[in-house]
């Protein structure tokens, strides 16, 4: 009887463990985009001492595509193309990057971004010195950055972690090492420049080093149209030959 009771008690746990995890969010999903942007802006608005020139971050589709393309390489090395002109963005020549790695079961967008920010514990505002690693924190709260694009990629194994998720956020303009004073006394995080803050989707741009063939909506429409016209042409030829036996038609 006790064994049966124990089995019943464990059933919800076992059932939850066997339940497949939901797919990772795509870079075009509205909820994913909103969570990435809102989490960054919330953390930026909470910087202490308060910032007086903090720009409001908005989504950038090209930066997200770069994050996705690099994440698919399943490496924890930073993108080697970040400082190469127009290799990570069609317009921005200054692109920063934050990278998170962990098991899929523990991945959460907001938590990963918060871990970037948590490097604040190593930064001394009064001396403007970092005791360990602060670069991820600097990039999240650097007041000059105003565009962000993130992507989560599933990898079979990275650094011994099975079912690993590489979560990358790209930023522009990027944080420049040595300019931490620009946000330490630079309180409000808000939008105020419609031209700067508008979202551009760059529907025909993809990282040139990604070596992927991508077909957008216009491309798909053209392909479908060509297939349809070819099919109709063969149908027309078939009926012409069937009803006009003396006519020879070739395509």
């Amino acid at each position: 009887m006790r064994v049966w009771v124990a089995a019943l008690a464990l059933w919800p746990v076992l059932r939850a463990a066997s339940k497949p995890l939901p797919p990772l969010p795509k870079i075009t999903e509205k909820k994913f985009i909103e969570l990435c942007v809102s989490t960054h802006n919330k953390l930026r608005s909470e910087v202490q001492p308060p910032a007086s020139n903090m720009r409001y971050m908005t989504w950038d589709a090209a930066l997200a595509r770069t994050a996705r393309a690099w994440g698919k390489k399943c490496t924890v090395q930073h993108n080697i193309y970040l400082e190469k002109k127009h290799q990570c963005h069609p317009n921005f020549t200054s692109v920063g990057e934050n990278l998170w790695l962990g098991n899929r079961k523990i991945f959460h967008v907001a938590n990963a971004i918060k871990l970037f920010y948590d490097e604040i514990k190593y930064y001394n505002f009064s001396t403007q010195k970092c005791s360990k690693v602060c670069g991820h924190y600097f990039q999240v709260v650097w007041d000059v950055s105003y565009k962000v694009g993130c992507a989560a990629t599933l990898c079979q194994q990275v650094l011994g972690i099975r079912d690993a998720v590489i979560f990358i956020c790209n930023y522009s303009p990027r944080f420049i090492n040595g300019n931490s004073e620009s946000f330490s006394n630079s309180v409000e995080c808000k939008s105020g420049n419609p031209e700067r803050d508008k979202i551009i989707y760059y529907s025909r741009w993809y990282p040139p080093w990604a070596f992927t063939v991508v077909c957008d909506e216009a491309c798909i429409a053209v392909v479908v149209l060509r297939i349809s016209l070819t099919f109709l042409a063969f149908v027309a030829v078939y009926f012409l030959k069937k009803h006009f036996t003396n006519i020879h038609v070739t395509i």
Side-chain angles (χ1 to χ4, degrees):
M1 183 66 180
R2 290 180 180 178
V3 175
W4 177 246
V5 172
L8 287 176
L10 287 172
W11 172 247
V13 178
L14 295 173
R15 186 177 181 183
S18 62
K19 187 178 180 180
L21 295 171
L24 292 177
K26 297 180 179 179
I27 61 173
T28 54
E29 288 183 20
K30 185 178 180 180
K31 288 185 178 180
F32 174 68
I33 293 173
E34 289 177 347
L35 183 56
C36 289
V37 172
S38 63
T39 303
H40 275 91
N41 283 323
K42 180 178 183 295
L43 294 172
R44 287 163 69 82
S45 67
E46 295 173 354
V47 66
Q48 292 294 330
S52 60
N53 194 32
M54 185 73 75
R55 293 181 179 181
Y56 182 84
M57 273 193 172
T58 52
W59 187 255
D60 188 279
L63 291 176
R65 288 184 200 131
T66 293
R68 180 180 62 185
W70 188 254
K72 286 182 178 180
K73 294 184 178 295
C74 292
T75 176
V76 291
Q77 178 188 8
H78 280 291
N79 193 328
I80 61 175
Y81 301 97
L82 290 176
E83 297 186 8
K84 296 183 179 180
K85 191 174 183 181
H86 302 315
Q87 293 296 299
C88 294
H89 198 277
N91 296 332
F92 293 120
T93 57
S94 174
V95 176
E97 180 184 70
N98 279 347
L99 188 152
W100 179 94
L101 169 68
N103 184 269
R104 185 180 180 185
K105 292 181 180 179
I106 65 171
F107 170 68
H108 187 274
V109 173
N111 291 344
I113 298 172
K114 180 65 165 53
L115 282 176
F116 299 150
Y117 180 87
D118 284 346
E119 289 180 1
I120 186 177
K121 61 189 175 185
Y122 304 125
Y123 183 63
N124 188 312
F125 281 97
S126 60
T127 62
Q128 295 185 11
K129 299 292 183 181
C130 178
S131 60
K132 289 187 179 181
V133 177
C134 301
H136 302 90
Y137 164 71
F138 289 160
Q139 182 58 83
V140 169
V141 301
W142 199 45
D143 59 351
V144 176
S145 299
Y146 64 94
K147 286 293 183 181
V148 62
C150 305
T153 307
L154 182 64
C155 300
Q156 185 175 0
Q157 183 168 313
V158 182
L159 294 182
I161 301 174
R162 296 186 61 84
D163 295 326
V165 172
I166 292 182
F167 177 66
I168 298 174
C169 287
N170 286 136
Y171 308 83
S172 199
R174 71 181 178 88
F175 166 72
I176 300 174
N177 191 27
N179 286 329
S180 57
E181 67 274 7
S182 66
F183 59 78
S184 63
N185 59 359
S186 40
V187 107
E188 193 172 7
C189 184
K190 63 180 181 180
S191 57
N193 188 327
E195 184 64 24
R196 183 195 69 202
D197 295 336
K198 69 180 180 181
I199 298 177
I200 303 174
Y201 291 98
Y202 306 100
S203 61
R204 296 184 180 276
W205 184 89
Y206 292 86
W209 41 266
F211 303 111
T212 56
V213 178
V214 182
C215 195
D216 58 15
E217 291 82 357
C219 169
I220 293 173
V222 171
V223 171
V224 171
L225 181 60
R226 286 182 177 178
I227 294 174
S228 300
L229 290 175
T230 302
F231 174 76
L232 290 174
F234 277 106
V235 170
V237 169
Y238 171 79
F239 280 104
L240 283 173
K241 285 186 173 182
K242 185 174 182 180
H243 291 284
F244 301 97
T245 57
N246 294 326
I247 296 178
H248 298 279
V249 181
T250 58
I251 297 179

